[in-house]
Amino acid sequence: QVELVESGGGLVQPGGSLRLSCVASGSNVDYNSMGWYRQAPGKQRELVAHITSGGHANYGGSVKGRFTISRDNAKNTVYLQMDNLKPEDTAVYYCNVYPGVWGKGTLVTVSS
């Protein structure tokens, strides 16, 4: 079975940066599309970004210009570089492999 392991979450001040990593492993999984979603308390889960093996990336409107998604196909790893973080970015961030494989999430807290 597939396993997604996220890392890199934590506490950061507004304006700071974090980099999230997600390593995917296992068989019978199509790794073509990998990405990140997030869910804040009391809010719906929303798309942050996703990227294909060919490098095509899409971003949610609230993070465009601040976050950058990338991947290392040899390692089946996807990264999310988060810059200029805002308090409203506070959420649990979930790694995803299309169409329905999810990690357990990593908490990002942006607060002074």
Side-chain angles (χ1 to χ4, degrees):
Q1 63 183 28
V2 66
E3 181 180 24
L4 303 179
V5 180
E6 300 117 326
S7 62
L11 175 65
V12 64
Q13 294 185 342
S17 298
L18 286 173
R19 190 185 76 160
L20 305 184
S21 299
C22 173
V23 180
S25 62
S27 60
N28 301 115
V29 175
D30 182 359
Y31 298 107
N32 180 57
S33 183
M34 302 180 66
W36 295 91
Y37 290 72
R38 68 186 184 186
Q39 187 167 22
K43 304 294 184 180
Q44 298 183 48
R45 186 173 297 187
E46 65 175 350
L47 171 71
V48 177
H50 68 84
I51 187 169
T52 68
S53 61
H56 180 74
N58 290 327
Y59 295 90
S62 64
V63 307
K64 289 180 179 178
R66 299 188 297 118
F67 292 9
T68 303
I69 190 169
S70 62
R71 62 186 291 166
D72 185 336
N73 290 331
K75 298 180 179 180
N76 288 328
T77 300
V78 63
Y79 306 93
L80 184 69
Q81 178 67 43
M82 305 185 294
D83 297 319
N84 191 25
L85 283 160
K86 304 175 180 180
E88 51 263 44
D89 294 318
T90 296
V92 177
Y93 285 69
Y94 297 92
C95 183
N96 168 260
V97 174
Y98 180 86
V101 181
W102 298 91
K104 294 182 179 180
T106 184
L107 177 63
V108 172
T109 302
V110 184
S111 176
S112 60

